[in-house]
Amino acid sequence: MAKQRMLKFVTVSKEMPEKRAADQRAQDFGEIYREFATKKAEEQAGRCSQCGVPYCQAHCPLHNNIPDWLRLTAEGRLQEAYEISQATNTFPEICGRICPQDRLCEGNCVIEQSGHGTVTIGAVEKFLTDTAWENGWVKPIRPAADRSESVGIIGAGPGGLAAADALRRQGVQVTVYDRYDRAGGLMTYGIPGFKLEKHVVQQRIQQLEEAGVQFVLNCNVGEDLAFDAIRGKHDAVLIATGVYKTRGLKAPGVGVEGVVRAIDYLTASNRKGFGDDVPEYDSGELNAAGKRVVVVGGGDTAMDCVRTAIRQGAQSVKCLYRRDRANMPGSQREVANAEEEGVDFVWLSAPKGFTGEPVDGVIVERMRLGAPDASGRQMPEVIEGADYSEPADLVVLALGFEPEELPTLWGVPELEVTRWGTIKADFREHTTSLPGVFAVGDIVRGASLVVWAIRDGRDAADSILRYLAQPAAVAAE
Ligand code: FAD
Ligand code: SF4
Ligand code: SF4
């Protein structure tokens, strides 16, 4: 019975859920894909060939049991499929929406490799969990018994929240501190709604609140509350603060009005989406409406900026990237979405300086790809004499993020960091140089992915539970 429903990849072609037309979706910040209808999800799941050695699973950072939940979906056993999918993933509906599947599970699907088009794993994962929420299958977190030990988590992004979920399920008292006024980290204020609608994140935060997780918001650790005070209050501490220092650009005019940082631009837009009062948006400083916008960078943050500018009603949107399309770090799927929505990519180009005050243009250097560097990646080289001027009223710099100097900011020089400024933590145990202090997510890995932060948070929770079980841990309180 089960077999008949599977292995349909030869007769059924790959289909994603319907994508809204580009001109329509450019009018709002709603997600661009609609939901699978149940029959379509079952049919698509049935394309899986049930590999004995599933490469999709091996390349999912959470090692999700993908073949099993695909088979159950194909058989119409949706609740069982959901139960299996949520067993290894704290936020499956979020990963289904925003994992770069082409680089992870789907990119390694054998059907994709054999030229039939991958099983649409992410879309099925999203469908299952959205269906579970609708049908009340997502159960409240109810620990069997409360424990006395408490853990303080600094940072309410996916790393901190995944750990909070796992620890609370074991009855641990959990307090999450965050400097923002809402939890969710970059899922709330970085990633735009057209990739991840905010109610999807909010319902998970609410689930944690209802489970008894305490959120202390508007609390900038190191400023409003000392790190040592948090250590003194809890039996263990988890640092999950992400990376927020914008990688700089040294060029004439970089500080002028109208040249802004991607994180400020995206945060203002997301805040506006929540209905907040955002003076920098209302004044036009962080609003692309009617402007000629130039975004600098080729990663996912740059893709989010260009597509946000389109939705804000920019007159034109150009993206400057110093390498070519094949060598950009951002997802090809997102580039295609941006192009459909009207973004113009100017490959092999980089800003040399900015003119005007406020900004009225970018001096652009043309580049070519030269010899590979030590990592094997071709280095961009300037083509002398080929500069030109690109008119711009708003320039958004999306050149990546670096960690803040936590040991200095928090007055804890004993907290060891790497030469890149990320926290030195054991990759398995997530322990740091300070006893009872653990660290996860981007602040350890450097700018990474939500799914890796979830994996870290889950593993760190196990490690913290082992630490709490040692008599010395609580005695040290
Ligand atoms: P964060 O999500 O950054 O959360 C850290 C939290 O710590 C924040 O809420 C912050 O306010 C808080 N904090 C920091 N310092 C302090 C302090 N001193 N005191 C109190 N609180 C503090 N990943 C994907 O998988 N898919 C995507 O599509 C994707 N798109 C992205 C788009 C953008 C624009 C950006 C910037 C990133 C994107 N990422 C994406 C990456 C992903 O968002 C991060 O890898 C992930 O959020 C890291 O999780 P985290 O928990 O380590 O940190
Ligand atoms: Fe794929 Fe991400 Fe889901 Fe893993 S968590 S199966 S990588 S979409
Ligand atoms: Fe199914 Fe593809 Fe995974 Fe094989 S690799 S189990 S075909 S989803």
Side-chain angles (χ1 to χ4, degrees):
M1 170 77 171
K3 255 211 142 34
Q4 287 164 6
R5 292 179 187 266
M6 305 306 292
L7 294 156
K8 288 193 191 150
F9 61 92
V10 181
T11 50
V12 176
S13 44
K14 173 191 167 188
E15 266 185 67
M16 279 293 282
E18 190 195 334
K19 192 156 66 164
R20 293 198 292 142
D23 56 344
Q24 187 201 32
R25 64 183 196 244
Q27 307 298 319
D28 61 53
F29 282 83
E31 286 176 10
I32 71 167
Y33 292 101
R34 298 193 197 283
E35 193 72 272
F36 268 143
T38 303
K39 278 279 154 262
K40 187 57 80 183
E42 291 174 7
E43 184 183 81
Q44 286 292 305
R47 295 180 68 245
C48 169
S49 75
Q50 297 287 283
C51 303
V53 180
Y55 288 110
C56 56
Q57 180 169 10
H59 287 87
C60 164
L62 298 166
H63 299 311
N64 283 342
N65 194 344
I66 300 165
D68 279 6
W69 48 256
L70 286 174
R71 179 177 49 79
L72 289 165
T73 305
E75 291 171 12
R77 294 158 66 186
L78 299 184
Q79 187 167 359
E80 290 164 83
Y82 159 71
E83 291 298 342
I84 292 187
S85 119
Q86 64 83 47
T88 48
N89 192 349
T90 323
F91 308 127
E93 70 281 35
I94 295 177
C95 292
R97 282 169 164 86
I98 59 162
C99 271
Q101 286 104 6
D102 48 351
R103 302 206 299 262
L104 301 171
C105 53
E106 294 181 9
N108 290 281
C109 169
V110 290
I111 292 177
E112 169 82 357
Q113 319 265 314
S114 67
H116 287 91
T118 177
V119 178
T120 47
I121 300 167
V124 175
E125 189 176 25
K126 164 181 180 286
F127 162 80
L128 281 177
T129 320
D130 287 350
T131 307
W133 277 105
E134 274 163 34
N135 288 282
W137 303 336
V138 181
K139 302 274 172 347
I141 301 166
R142 291 226 176 84
D146 261 315
R147 299 167 55 151
S148 60
E149 303 100 318
S150 87
V151 174
I153 298 178
I154 309 174
L161 295 183
D165 179 290
L167 289 166
R168 190 62 201 124
R169 283 178 197 276
Q170 297 306 313
V172 173
Q173 308 304 317
V174 180
T175 305
V176 183
Y177 303 84
D178 201 288
R179 63 183 169 198
Y180 282 144
D181 55 345
R182 290 184 180 89
L186 289 171
M187 299 188 298
T188 294
Y189 283 134
I191 300 172
F194 50 81
K195 277 167 52 183
L196 175 64
E197 283 177 9
K198 302 302 157 187
H199 70 89
V200 178
V201 181
Q202 295 298 309
Q203 71 191 358
R204 284 294 178 183
I205 295 163
Q206 193 182 337
Q207 186 193 27
L208 290 169
E209 280 170 344
E210 286 167 2
V213 172
Q214 301 287 323
F215 284 90
V216 181
L217 300 174
N218 297 307
C219 175
N220 191 355
V221 173
E223 234 175 64
D224 302 316
L225 187 59
F227 175 68
D228 278 343
I230 294 179
R231 271 188 95 188
K233 258 183 166 178
H234 300 283
D235 300 306
V237 172
L238 177 68
I239 304 174
T241 48
V243 287
Y244 284 85
K245 199 164 91 183
T246 298
R247 206 166 278 157
L249 176 71
K250 285 198 183 89
V254 78
V256 301
E257 191 186 329
V259 179
V260 304
R261 303 186 315 162
I263 193 70
D264 299 333
Y265 176 65
L266 293 172
T267 304
S269 176
N270 277 313
R271 280 195 180 285
K272 206 66 200 163
F274 278 108
D276 293 356
D277 192 19
V278 189
E280 316 83 61
Y281 179 92
D282 298 335
S283 71
E285 187 189 331
L286 296 175
N287 180 356
K291 293 184 179 161
R292 295 163 301 176
V293 178
V294 171
V295 175
V296 182
D300 286 327
T301 302
M303 298 309 106
D304 289 350
C305 292
V306 289
R307 298 177 67 201
T308 295
I310 291 278
R311 283 160 176 77
Q312 289 178 345
Q315 190 189 118
S316 65
V317 184
K318 293 203 166 151
C319 182
L320 304 186
Y321 180 54
R322 62 195 183 126
R323 290 189 165 90
D324 60 6
R325 185 185 197 116
N327 286 289
M328 70 179 293
S331 142
Q332 293 295 330
R333 191 171 64 183
E334 296 303 300
V335 179
N337 285 333
E339 282 180 326
E340 283 169 18
E341 290 163 11
V343 175
D344 190 2
F345 285 87
V346 190
W347 307 112
L348 293 163
S349 61
K352 187 178 180 180
F354 305 94
T355 53
E357 183 146 22
V359 74
D360 62 13
V362 185
I363 305 161
V364 182
E365 283 181 323
R366 304 289 332 200
M367 319 290 283
R368 66 173 153 246
L369 291 181
D373 64 9
S375 71
R377 211 164 166 224
Q378 278 183 287
M379 288 297 289
E381 293 170 353
V382 175
I383 304 175
E384 296 298 339
D387 299 358
Y388 69 96
S389 179
E390 180 68 51
D393 312 304
L394 177 66
V395 178
V396 185
L397 301 179
L399 297 164
F401 299 98
E402 287 169 358
E404 290 157 296
E405 285 104 34
L406 291 188
T408 314
L409 288 173
W410 290 358
V412 269
E414 324 83 82
L415 180 64
E416 282 182 26
V417 294
T418 66
R419 65 192 160 111
W420 299 280
T422 48
I423 293 182
K424 234 184 216 177
D426 181 279
F427 265 105
R428 258 174 220 284
E429 296 297 319
H430 300 277
T431 44
T432 68
S433 55
L434 301 177
V437 177
F438 300 74
V440 294
D442 282 5
I443 191 60
V444 176
R445 294 177 178 273
S448 177
L449 295 173
V450 165
V451 67
W452 279 114
I454 295 172
R455 163 76 189 272
D456 284 356
R458 194 182 74 181
D459 289 356
D462 287 344
S463 179
I464 290 171
L465 288 168
R466 284 193 292 276
Y467 171 79
L468 293 176
Q470 298 166 11
V474 181
E477 200 184 340

